[in-house]
């Protein structure tokens, strides 16, 4: 019986990218009065070639990009599109006249695997990290950043995720909604 508790703890910790802790953080957001002068003209997302994609089944595959919810394909392009769509939607709230481009470099996009999602453990995390900056589209001058942004969020698993999927929610919709809120906060919207 004493061996069961340590094994259970290790299993919970193994969910890790997927760890039981998460946070959403970024440096000081753009001042609202500054953001009011901007209008989004473009979003650019860079996914460096050095980032490792892992599609291996398991609870915690090693890799910078772990994403399987979209159909098989270019995972780097898929996660770049998720991030770009959220940033563009957030930037739609910029009402000003100065055209700006949000430039993002993704450093980690580690979603919960299906194997981890199937467990009824409450220790999963979608771990998303990047740097972002706002530049004047016309001049290229950096107006904000580059700032490190961590947009990690708790991942539903087991019965909770099954219920969410029954409501039409997916990992993608949950991650997208969280990224939208994160970008809105960072942009001072």
């Amino acid at each position: 019986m004493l061996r069961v508790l340590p094994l259970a703890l290790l299993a919970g910790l193994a969910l890790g990218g997927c760890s039981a802790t998460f946070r959403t953080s970024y440096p000081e957001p753009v001042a609202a009065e500054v953001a009011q002068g901007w209008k989004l003209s473009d979003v650019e997302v860079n996914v460096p070639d050095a980032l490792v994609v892992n599609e291996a089944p398991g609870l915690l595959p090693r890799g910078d990009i772990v994403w399987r919810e979209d159909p098989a394909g270019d995972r780097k392009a898929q996660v770049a599109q998720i991030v770009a769509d959220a940033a563009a939607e957030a930037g739609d709230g910029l009402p000003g006249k100065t055209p700006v481009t949000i430039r993002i470099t993704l450093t980690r996009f580690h979603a919960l695997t299906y194997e981890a999602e199937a467990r009824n453990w409450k220790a999963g995390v979608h771990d998303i990290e990047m740097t972002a900056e706002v530049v004047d589209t016309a001049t290229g001058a950096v107006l904000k950043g580059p700032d490190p942004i961590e947009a990690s969020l708790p991942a539903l698993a087991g019965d909770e995720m099954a219920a969410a999927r029954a409501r039409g929610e997916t990992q993608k919709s949950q991650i997208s909604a969280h990224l939208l809120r994160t970008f809105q906060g960072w942009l001072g919207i």
Side-chain angles (χ1 to χ4, degrees), residues 6 14 18 28 38 46 67 73 78 101 103 113 154 184:
C18 303
E28 189 72 26
W38 295 346
N46 174 39
W67 178 248
Q78 290 170 352
T101 299
R103 290 186 184 152
T113 65
Q184 286 172 329

Side-chain angles (χ1 to χ4, degrees), residues 55-179:
E55 296 188 67
L59 295 179
L60 183 60
R62 295 194 192 287
D64 304 302
I65 297 174
V66 175
W67 178 248
R68 290 190 271 162
E69 199 168 68
D70 282 329
D74 183 342
R75 297 303 187 197
K76 289 181 179 182
Q78 290 170 352
V79 299
Q81 192 64 57
I82 293 167
V83 173
D85 289 347
E89 187 175 346
D92 283 345
L94 297 171
K97 295 188 183 205
T98 302
V100 298
T101 299
I102 299 173
R103 290 186 184 152
I104 300 163
T105 299
L106 199 59
T107 55
R108 185 167 176 81
F109 193 107
H110 198 293
L112 200 65
T113 65
Y114 288 134
E115 293 79 14
E117 182 185 300
R119 309 287 175 142
N120 247 339
W121 297 336
K122 296 184 188 242
V125 172
H126 299 303
D127 187 10
I128 302 166
E129 300 171 16
M130 66 198 88
T131 58
E133 63 184 5
V134 177
V135 299
D136 183 306
T137 303
T139 68
V142 176
L143 305 173
K144 171 73 173 147
D147 289 341
I149 296 176
E150 183 174 351
S152 298
L153 69 150
L156 298 181
D159 295 339
E160 287 181 331
M161 190 60 191
R165 287 192 185 280
R167 294 189 303 269
E169 293 178 37
T170 62
Q171 286 185 4
K172 188 177 198 173
S173 68
Q174 293 164 1
I175 289 169
S176 295
H178 183 70
L179 286 170

